Amino acid sequence: KFHLIDTGGIDVSEEDFNNEIIIQANIAIEEADIIVFVVNGLEELNQNDFIIRDILMKSGKKVLVAVNKLDNPKREENIYNYYELGFEDVLPISGEHSLGLSDLLDKITENFTENNMEEEKDDRIKFCLIGRPNVGKSSLVNALLNEEKVIVSPIAGTTRDAIDTEFTYNQKKYVAIDTAGIRKSGKIFERIEKYSVLRSMKAIERSDVCLLVINAEEGIIEHDKHIASYALEEGKPIIIVVNKWDEYEKETGTLENYKKQVYNKLSYLTYAPIIFISAKTGQRVDKLFGMINKVANSNSLRIPTATLNQVINEAIAVVQPPTDKGKRLKILYATQAQTKPPTFVIFVNNKELFHFSYERYLVNQIRSNFDLEGTPVRIISREKREDK
Ligand code: GDP
């Protein structure tokens, strides 16, 4: 599994070959593990290509040259000139006719390490802060690290990623994953939506818990929905952090109404807890630790099969499974197949009868009987003949 990101082209021949393009190119290069340098196979190499070549060479990253627009069968014969660029791997392709693409993909993924879910044993809880610029993510990281009893590990930043911060609080180890290069290259990443989203996605994949930080005044917008649904897709627990609560005008019922509005906009996230904080004054910031622990536990909760089936059987007794065209759905039994996120396999007589609404009912029953706050839950249905 990997992210493919398109830079939209680096044209150095234009007059406005300015800082913005250089910044974008550098970000793209910095973010990448492998770079595919696409050149036009119907034209001679030009000055533009060599300027880009120099930028890429300097990066020290692995570069594959893809010579595009080669759609004749003797494509290989046309690539020799392009070795002049000085890169080892030169591949003929035709994007339009899908030629040479599987070789290119093989080459791209050749040295990728498999992202193994059963990673090395790690007792640290890794969490990321995701959200738009200026919602207060870096202020919140600082506020967390300034909490009493927080001991920032001296080896912080020496592990996998220079922008991770490892610390201990109440004898528990945490790693704060910085998504936006908050303390690294300033705000450049965030200005360019594509890279900020990519960064957030990468951070989400590496985290045990995601804190979705929003600005109380602005509320939830598209960007937040996008990121939240990615976290859901990845099976990661989410805490919705409403920041700048100190500035928000409050009356009776404000808090409850605010919660309602958030869940209205993120209707698939009603299991995610919401916390109202101020990174500036430190209000309730210490409460976040307890919440992080809680949702991390939910995410790795394991429910014994017998207990699970007891809950399912009670649920079935209260609301009968639906019928369709004279046939009734039968829930035979359930078992938890996986954690992170909790994934339940439910054996049924006929999958087609297992409608979404009944599945949702069962999920709600499971949720109300076990501590699954903050974590997504997955259901897989399998058919099984009843006589077996
Ligand atoms: P980031 O871009 O998400 O990392 O946001 P920053 O942490 O840089 O904060 C953006 C601005 O919001 C800064 O001016 C902060 O001082 C301000 N800010 C952050 N948290 C709070 C808060 O809880 N209350 C108030 N009033 N301002 C805050």
Side-chain angles (χ1 to χ4, degrees):
K1 188 179 168 196
F2 60 94
H3 297 283
L4 177 66
I5 187 139
D6 173 13
T7 61
I10 303 169
D11 193 348
V12 289
S13 65
E14 299 272 318
E15 292 242 322
D16 63 353
F17 176 55
N18 52 22
N19 284 335
E20 190 63 21
I21 292 177
I22 294 177
I23 289 170
Q24 289 224 24
N26 282 330
I27 292 172
I29 291 164
E30 192 180 327
E31 290 299 294
D33 297 308
I34 281 215
I35 297 161
V36 180
F37 179 15
V38 185
V39 294
N40 187 341
L42 296 181
E43 286 173 9
E44 304 267 291
L45 285 169
N46 59 33
Q47 202 194 348
N48 198 353
D49 295 319
F50 284 98
I51 293 175
I52 296 169
R53 189 272 310 266
D54 291 344
I55 299 175
L56 295 179
M57 279 278 179
K58 239 192 297 175
S59 76
K61 296 263 165 111
K62 172 91 181 156
V63 174
L64 309 176
V65 179
V67 187
N68 193 26
K69 307 196 188 178
L70 297 183
D71 28 24
N72 61 329
K74 292 186 182 157
R75 306 201 311 282
E76 266 78 14
E77 292 173 13
N78 292 316
I79 63 170
Y80 298 111
N81 287 338
Y82 298 90
Y83 280 101
E84 198 191 330
L85 289 167
F87 298 108
E88 202 174 306
D89 298 295
V90 179
L91 295 105
I93 62 160
S94 164
E96 196 174 286
H97 297 100
S98 300
L99 300 172
L101 299 188
S102 53
D103 287 343
L104 179 63
L105 275 169
D106 282 348
K107 202 77 205 171
I108 290 173
T109 55
E110 195 175 68
N111 295 313
F112 283 1
T113 45
E114 201 140 336
N115 232 349
N116 201 333
M117 294 298 286
E118 318 281 332
E119 273 185 19
E120 72 270 25
K121 261 216 172 306
D122 193 345
D123 58 351
R124 306 172 307 171
I125 298 183
K126 289 174 268 165
F127 65 92
C128 61
L129 296 95
I130 47 183
R132 278 162 295 141
N134 288 321
V135 293
K137 298 181 297 298
S138 49
S139 307
L140 179 54
V141 172
N142 290 332
L144 283 168
L145 298 181
N146 282 335
E147 268 303 308
E148 253 182 283
K149 291 185 280 182
V150 164
I151 305 153
V152 177
S153 151
I155 58 152
T158 54
T159 46
R160 275 161 73 161
D161 200 315
I163 48 174
D164 292 357
T165 308
E166 185 174 303
F167 63 94
T168 311
Y169 178 78
N170 273 345
Q171 277 119 40
K172 256 185 136 56
K173 283 191 198 146
Y174 300 87
V175 179
I177 295 177
D178 180 351
T179 47
I182 292 166
R183 276 151 296 160
K184 200 179 164 201
S185 14
K187 303 284 180 186
I188 292 172
F189 286 102
E190 292 200 328
R191 274 203 292 122
I192 302 163
E193 175 82 9
K194 182 156 48 177
Y195 298 106
S196 84
V197 170
L198 179 71
R199 282 228 145 185
S200 301
M201 287 162 101
K202 283 190 189 170
I204 289 168
E205 288 163 20
R206 292 174 48 224
S207 298
D208 300 305
V209 174
C210 306
L211 309 186
L212 176 63
V213 186
I214 65 170
N215 175 343
E217 205 62 57
E218 291 167 337
I220 301 279
I221 62 151
E222 267 324 293
H223 179 276
D224 302 317
K225 291 186 187 172
H226 198 79
I227 293 294
S229 62
Y230 189 70
L232 169 63
E233 219 175 278
E234 288 290 305
K236 306 292 180 170
I238 295 188
I239 299 170
I240 299 164
V241 181
V242 184
N243 188 32
K244 308 199 186 179
W245 197 241
D246 55 310
E247 276 186 338
Y248 197 75
E249 231 173 277
K250 299 165 210 67
E251 314 167 355
T252 4
T254 303
L255 206 107
E256 285 314 312
N257 283 335
Y258 201 102
K259 277 190 183 176
K260 257 187 231 154
Q261 276 181 31
V262 169
Y263 289 138
N264 250 333
K265 291 200 171 130
L266 296 172
S267 55
Y268 48 90
L269 270 188
T270 48
Y271 57 80
I274 302 183
I275 183 168
F276 297 85
I277 65 150
S278 167
K280 190 171 167 186
T281 67
Q283 185 189 22
R284 277 190 288 271
V285 165
D286 60 334
K287 297 271 184 298
L288 263 174
F289 291 108
M291 269 184 159
I292 290 171
N293 297 344
K294 188 156 204 260
V295 301
N297 285 338
S298 307
N299 195 232
S300 41
L301 184 72
R302 200 172 268 289
I303 302 172
T305 305
T307 326
L308 178 67
N309 282 284
Q310 208 177 328
V311 167
I312 299 269
N313 287 336
E314 279 163 22
I316 295 170
V318 176
V319 178
Q320 277 210 10
T323 54
D324 197 355
K325 298 188 192 84
K327 278 181 91 179
R328 184 176 294 282
L329 171 72
K330 276 192 185 157
I331 307 280
L332 303 168
Y333 68 97
T335 178
Q336 183 176 354
Q338 244 179 290
T339 61
K340 292 189 169 192
T343 303
F344 303 100
V345 180
I346 298 185
F347 290 92
V348 297
N349 60 335
N350 184 337
K351 265 162 72 158
E352 301 207 331
L353 300 172
F354 197 11
H355 295 307
F356 180 68
S357 55
Y358 200 72
E359 178 183 316
R360 195 168 47 192
Y361 165 70
L362 290 183
V363 169
N364 288 341
Q365 294 307 303
I366 294 173
R367 280 194 185 280
S368 61
N369 279 279
F370 304 100
D371 273 334
L372 291 165
E373 194 187 10
T375 182
V377 161
R378 287 190 188 141
I379 298 285
I380 298 169
S381 60
R382 292 249 169 82
E383 269 178 28
K384 206 171 176 89
R385 289 236 322 264
E386 287 164 64
D387 52 6
K388 296 202 170 170

